[in-house]
Amino acid sequence: MNLKSLSQFFAKDKSHRILILLACLLALVLGILSWSVPPGIDPDPCWGFLVMDGIAKHAPWNTYITVDPFNIAKNHYEFLAWWSPGQYLVPYLFKCLLNINTAKAVAVTLIVCNVLGLTGFYKLFTRLGFSRQVSAITIAFVATQLFFVNSYVYFLGGEVLLFAFLGWFLYGCFSIEKITWQILLFVFLGGLLGFFAKSSVLWMFAAAVGCIWINVGMAETGSSHKPWYDKTTLWAWIRNGLLLAIPFVAALAVIYVGYMSKGDNPTSDTGPLLVLPETFGYPLAAPILSGFSVDELVDGLIYHTDAPMVSYQAAIMMIVIFALACIAFVAFIGKLSHNKKYPVVLIFFYALGTAFFSYMYIRQATISYEGRHFRMIAMLFMPGFVYLLMKTKVSRMVFFAMWIAYAYLSFNSFKIQYVANRQTAKGPVTGFVQQVYDQATIDEVVRLDHMHYNDAIFVFNGPDIAMEVKQNRTIINDDDMNETVFASLKYRGKAGTIYIITPTRYIKNGKLSVLTKSFVDYHHFTYRQITAAYGISEARE
């Protein structure tokens, strides 16, 4: 099929149904592949799955079980306020219902959430005034993006739950034309459900409530045929705003008192004020960086764990160009779109998202410069981009050529990572691919765990392998922990056998010595090499 026949196909009345079906079918097929070969996992959701293990051990709600540093014989419960609970509770639901391991439960979660997300955003786009063809093409284009495809080979946590939630929630928001008690309940429950999916939803929740207020105001003003500055109309706007503030504030209060105030969260860990070119530029450019997988294609413009593919100067230049393009798009889309709802949601989300993230970056909060944080803003930009590109024959040809190129890059990346996952060590308990540890080390940890029942403590430098320990407690000291904090670690008391699993580089850099000395009441650690990369230090009570 050439580009001309593609254009003719998308002009047909029924093509939107085929595209939606194909997009959902792709989500299913990728999910089946992820079931067959489990994905890798980001450290963030690993903490959630450690909390999930606490459920089976009757730990308090949403807490991670570790040791009390003043007496390691006792438990210490850390409330996990840094991430929302949905990233582990939804997979846990499928794990219990289907009697499968955690990795397979994640595969099911990916299928369900991605299908819900695709269909939800399709409904939203049509509600915002886009044709069924433009909405379906947008959804199909999203389904072939690098960020969508790679979610099946590397699990990031709450992003996929937020994708499932937000489209349907905003569809409901833009279906509201009058404030009733049912609508107030919808707003309140929507805020709680959104936070359950991902904690960063709070600024999106504020934008969504603002959209409801504008949408209802426009509907009432249109039906009354009175100008907005009329006293009756003006009072109606004020009354609606006050009514919507009730469930909004109530939801925030429940979230803060019942969850966020109980532990550290990304907004509580800040540094001195800092302003850089990317502080404002990255959020402004995010619709393109995130929506077209630019950040993923270059392995991170600003934030990258490996050597950068693009120099800092070139990255800033790209950010400036993309930011100006996004601002111009927002400025002109209102004139090009016949529906007033789309500019409303675009402006609210773009403005609040830019303000929120720029403020967090100025405060140096623990929020990275990654496109994934801006995915929902990008999703709202996408139908507008597609709408503009479908207006002329030349632009359509350019778009379809770009789509084919993007699809090739996405599926090729998926193939490479999928093959790598198939050949990488896997946790025999959770089923996840362990991208850091080798199979021999993982098997040895699991063997030692089976030898003890609540009378051993395992010390790791990351949460990923800790998920494989089920019968004993763990201590996790992040590999990037501040050196001063690391050197001050002290654990007192005795509680059976201590196993410290470390990379061999810990011997040369002195970290292993610090760890063994941190257990002040254990004086005889013996070290043995498991593999060339990892070793284990053991001390008995």
Side-chain angles (χ1 to χ4, degrees), residues 6-35:
L6 275 174
S7 299
Q8 293 173 346
F9 168 76
F10 290 124
K12 294 180 180 179
D13 292 337
K14 305 298 181 182
S15 63
H16 69 281
R17 297 179 182 176
I18 299 173
L19 285 174
I20 295 169
L21 179 62
L22 289 175
C24 292
L25 183 61
L26 177 62
L28 175 62
V29 171
L30 292 174
I32 293 172
L33 292 173
S34 186
W35 173 288

Side-chain angles (χ1 to χ4, degrees), residues 325-347:
C326 291
I327 293 171
F329 175 81
V330 173
F332 289 105
I333 191 63
K335 300 177 181 179
L336 298 173
S337 175
H338 299 295
N339 193 294
K340 295 181 180 180
K341 294 180 179 180
Y342 183 61
V344 168
V345 68
L346 205 63
I347 292 170

Side-chain angles (χ1 to χ4, degrees), residues 478-490 511 514:
D478 283 331
D479 202 28
D480 58 355
M481 180 183 290
N482 179 276
E483 290 185 6
T484 303
V485 176
F486 186 81
S488 65
L489 293 173
K490 297 296 178 190
K511 283 190 172 184
V514 173

Side-chain angles (χ1 to χ4, degrees), residues 428-466:
V429 179
T430 63
F432 282 115
V433 165
Q434 291 283 350
Q435 297 178 321
V436 177
Y437 293 88
D438 52 68
Q439 194 66 56
T441 301
I442 298 168
D443 292 340
E444 179 64 8
V445 168
V446 173
R447 185 187 72 82
L448 293 173
D449 182 46
H450 288 166
M451 286 174 55
H452 302 270
Y453 184 78
N454 203 29
D455 63 349
I457 296 172
F458 290 80
V459 183
F460 302 109
N461 66 337
D464 37 15
I465 193 172

Side-chain angles (χ1 to χ4, degrees), residues 242-257:
L242 292 174
L243 286 174
L244 288 171
I246 296 172
F248 176 73
V249 172
L252 293 184
V254 170
I255 290 168
Y256 179 77
V257 174

Side-chain angles (χ1 to χ4, degrees), residues 64 128 227 234 355 367 382 386 422 428 439-440 447 499 520 538:
Y64 159 60
L128 293 176
L234 190 60
I367 301 176
M382 294 305 289
V386 173
R422 188 167 55 190
Q439 194 66 56
R447 185 187 72 82
Y499 295 108
V520 296
E538 176 182 344

Side-chain angles (χ1 to χ4, degrees), residues 253-273:
V254 170
I255 290 168
Y256 179 77
V257 174
Y259 200 91
M260 296 191 71
S261 64
K262 294 186 176 182
D264 291 335
N265 59 73
T267 62
S268 62
D269 187 12
T270 60
L273 301 183

